């Protein structure tokens, strides 16, 4: 079968959550079908074209037009039925390429909402919308106040209406968790073709034992260029870490990922906080940590940072928000705490309890092997695509 795949991110190298998902789904599809990829690329983005061409029959790229809220097109979109971000980033070049390649394909997959707009071009192929993320938008207006809350509510209502109009163009839509599925069912109760396809981890590439865990070392894996990651570190460093260090003076934190263009002046940083910057391979840093901390308070989707830590055998302490969407069991494969004092207490407890560390490490690894392996998820994805195409 010939599959046309539309991607909002160029998949190689797979250095963020969206790219990792797209990369593994493309590889799974290419083992059984012929795949053509049309992908946006960001300004200044480093891409590995040969890496993607190794498993895609053809690859086309289109420059991505960043959302500019104050641009005249974005302002004009206040009066459009489309969300402003969709109207402002729409690419005629992408539309032209999609129309041309669609005539040579048997089915189409649009990854994330940003590529879904290109199905409204009279294309009649059996189509799937993968990774429709909605919970973050709902949370944004629920957790805001005053004038900002009203604006966010208006944006949310427009997004809901847009999605209801968009879904009939797709024979199937996938989300990463039951939480996202529940939000989508509430928005579009008449749409019945919703499937949960979680994010995963490469359990062969990420294996325990790649580095010896260092006592006192905590790790947070996530670029601070992403707002939710920055907020998590602001919360941890200002409210949680001081409590930990009162009881465990040798504790220190390593933060992986890019900080390019980020003002770190608002963070409580000293010699016990270290930034690794972007790394081609973060496995030694995570495997070498005594534990992984995930004090997230914002965002949505499933947290690849937790799955990667579990795959590497590194115990995890997370907020409820951080572990949202993951089928985890507190005290068995993860520790959960939401208040600063409780989070700090769990970190200190885990630091001194060898038996607990061993249990979390073993059970976390077992969990990702059984439920979150990309090999297994990729096979499920291929089966979904094949069933969708067979119903055409």
């Amino acid at each position: 079968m010939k599959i046309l795949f539309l991607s909002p991110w160029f998949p190689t190298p797979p250095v963020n959550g969206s790219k990792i998902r797209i990369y593994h789904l493309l590889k799974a599809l290419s083992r059984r079908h012929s795949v053509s990829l049309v992908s946006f690329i960001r300004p200044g983005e480093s891409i590995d074209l040969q890496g993607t061409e190794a498993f895609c029959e053809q690859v086309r790229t289109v420059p991505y037009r960043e959302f500019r809220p104050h641009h005249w097109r974005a302002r004009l979109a206040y009066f459009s039925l489309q969300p402003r971000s969709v109207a402002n980033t729409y690419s005629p070049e992408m539309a032209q390429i999609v129309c041309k390649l669609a005539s040579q394909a048997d089915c189409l997959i649009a990854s994330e909402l940003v590529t879904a707009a290109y199905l409204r071009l009279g294309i009649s192929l059996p189509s799937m919308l993968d990774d429709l993320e909605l919970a973050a938008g709902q949370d944004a207006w629920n957790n805001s106040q005053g004038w900002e809350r009203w604006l966010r509510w208006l944006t949310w209502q427009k997004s809901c209406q847009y999605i209801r109009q968009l879904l009939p163009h797709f024979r199937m839509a996938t989300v990463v968790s039951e939480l996202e599925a529940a939000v989508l069912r509430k928005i579009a109760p008449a749409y019945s073709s919703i499937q949960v396809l979680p994010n995963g981890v490469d359990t062969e590439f990420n294996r325990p034992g790649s580095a010896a865990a260092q006592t006192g070392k905590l790790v947070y894996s996530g670029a601070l260029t992403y707002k939710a990651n920055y907020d998590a570190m602001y919360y941890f460093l200002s409210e949680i870490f001081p409590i930990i260090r009162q009881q465990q003076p040798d504790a220190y934190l390593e933060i992986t990922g890019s900080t390019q263009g980020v003002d770190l002046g608002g963070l409580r940083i000293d010699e016990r906080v270290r930034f690794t910057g972007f790394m081609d391979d973060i496995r030694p840093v995570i495997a070498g940590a005594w534990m992984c901390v995930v004090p997230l308070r914002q965002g949505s989707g499933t947290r690849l940072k937790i799955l990667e830590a579990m795959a590497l055998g590194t115990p995890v302490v997370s907020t409820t928000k951080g572990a949202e969407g993951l089928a985890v069991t507190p005290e068995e494969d993860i520790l959960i705490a939401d208040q600063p004092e409780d989070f700090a207490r769990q970190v200190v407890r885990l630091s001194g309890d060898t038996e607990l560390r061993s249990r979390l490490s073993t059970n976390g690894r077992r969990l990702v092997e059984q439920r979150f392996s990309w090999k297994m998820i990729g096979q499920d994805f291929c089966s979904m695509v094949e069933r969708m195409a067979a119903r055409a």
Side-chain angles (χ1 to χ4, degrees):
M1 185 164 61
K2 294 184 177 181
I3 299 173
L4 178 58
F5 195 106
L6 313 184
S7 175
W9 298 88
F10 197 82
T12 54
V15 293
N16 65 33
S18 292
K19 290 188 175 197
I20 290 170
R21 179 182 179 89
I22 294 164
Y23 171 79
H24 284 284
L25 295 185
L26 280 171
K27 286 193 71 174
L29 287 173
S30 68
R31 294 188 185 103
R32 291 154 65 164
H33 304 286
S34 173
V35 182
S36 295
L37 172 68
V38 184
S39 175
F40 283 118
I41 54 173
R42 266 65 177 172
E45 180 182 11
S46 176
I47 66 172
D48 177 10
L49 186 59
Q50 290 184 335
T52 300
E53 287 177 337
F55 52 86
C56 289
E57 182 178 291
Q58 60 178 318
V59 178
R60 301 286 298 274
T61 61
V62 180
Y64 181 67
R65 179 187 293 161
E66 297 287 349
F67 176 48
R68 294 181 290 170
H70 303 296
H71 188 268
W72 67 267
R73 189 180 288 107
R75 292 183 185 277
L76 192 62
Y78 276 120
F79 307 99
S80 168
L81 294 178
Q82 289 185 330
R84 294 174 65 221
S85 59
V86 173
N88 187 228
T89 60
Y90 187 83
S91 167
E93 183 180 355
M94 170 66 88
Q96 184 179 14
I97 294 174
V98 170
C99 285
K100 180 179 180 180
L101 295 184
S103 63
Q104 308 165 21
D106 298 310
C107 72
L108 184 148
I109 300 168
S111 174
E112 301 183 14
L113 194 58
V114 69
T115 65
Y118 301 95
L119 263 289
R120 305 179 74 177
L121 301 170
I123 295 172
S124 58
L125 289 175
S127 301
M128 171 191 286
L129 174 54
D130 179 57
D131 195 9
L132 182 54
E133 186 177 304
L134 301 166
Q138 180 176 261
D139 289 348
W141 76 266
N142 277 335
N143 298 328
S144 55
Q145 297 178 346
W147 179 253
E148 183 184 12
R149 178 177 173 83
W150 185 86
L151 286 176
R152 289 184 182 275
W153 177 85
L154 191 62
T155 299
W156 173 244
Q157 294 302 315
K158 183 182 285 190
S159 296
C160 292
Q161 178 64 24
Y162 176 67
I163 289 166
R164 281 191 289 267
Q165 294 176 350
L166 196 64
L167 284 175
H169 294 272
F170 295 92
R171 295 176 183 265
M172 186 181 294
T174 68
V175 292
V176 299
S177 68
E178 287 294 345
L179 173 67
E180 293 283 356
V183 175
L184 181 54
R185 292 187 189 104
K186 184 177 180 180
I187 292 173
Y191 188 78
S192 59
S193 300
I194 302 169
Q195 297 289 332
V196 175
L197 187 78
N199 282 322
V201 63
D202 188 335
T203 53
E204 293 300 315
F205 184 72
N206 295 279
R207 302 187 67 87
S210 60
Q214 302 173 34
T215 304
K217 176 182 172 180
L218 316 179
V219 67
Y220 181 77
S221 173
L224 298 195
T225 50
Y226 178 45
K227 181 181 177 181
N229 286 333
Y230 183 92
D231 176 78
M233 288 296 90
Y234 176 85
Y235 173 52
F236 184 80
L237 293 173
S238 61
E239 300 188 40
I240 300 173
F241 202 36
I243 303 174
I244 295 172
R245 289 176 59 179
Q246 287 177 357
Q247 304 176 56
Q248 192 177 342
D250 65 338
Y252 66 99
L253 174 69
E254 284 196 359
I255 303 170
T256 73
S258 173
T259 59
Q260 186 176 3
V262 178
D263 181 6
L264 301 178
L267 300 179
R268 190 171 175 176
I269 300 171
D270 59 20
E271 72 282 354
R272 309 300 293 180
V273 180
R274 307 169 188 175
F275 295 91
T276 69
F278 173 78
M279 303 181 69
D280 291 326
D281 187 355
I282 62 172
R283 288 177 300 170
V285 177
I286 298 175
W290 205 239
M291 71 189 74
C292 174
V293 292
V294 188
L296 282 164
R297 302 188 294 182
Q298 303 176 2
S300 63
T302 48
R303 317 303 180 182
L304 292 177
K305 55 176 63 66
I306 290 180
L307 299 181
E308 287 174 344
M310 287 180 168
L312 291 164
T314 302
V316 179
V317 181
S318 175
T319 55
T320 301
K321 186 67 176 176
E324 192 174 65
L326 293 175
V328 293
T329 305
E331 299 295 325
E332 290 300 317
D333 43 47
I334 196 171
L335 296 181
I336 301 292
D338 291 310
Q339 299 304 315
E341 297 80 4
D342 296 335
F343 201 106
R345 182 166 56 250
Q346 293 285 40
V347 169
V348 174
R349 172 192 172 205
L350 183 57
S351 296
D353 191 331
T354 304
E355 182 180 345
L356 177 61
R357 289 191 72 257
S358 177
R359 182 171 78 244
L360 295 180
S361 176
T362 300
N363 291 345
R365 174 67 193 186
R366 182 184 300 119
L367 176 68
V368 296
E369 287 179 334
Q370 293 177 348
R371 302 194 63 168
F372 297 104
S373 163
W374 273 126
K375 182 178 180 180
M376 176 186 67
I377 293 169
Q379 291 172 349
D380 290 343
F381 181 66
C382 285
S383 297
M384 289 179 185
V385 173
E386 289 159 2
R387 289 198 304 270
M388 176 198 69
R391 291 203 304 265

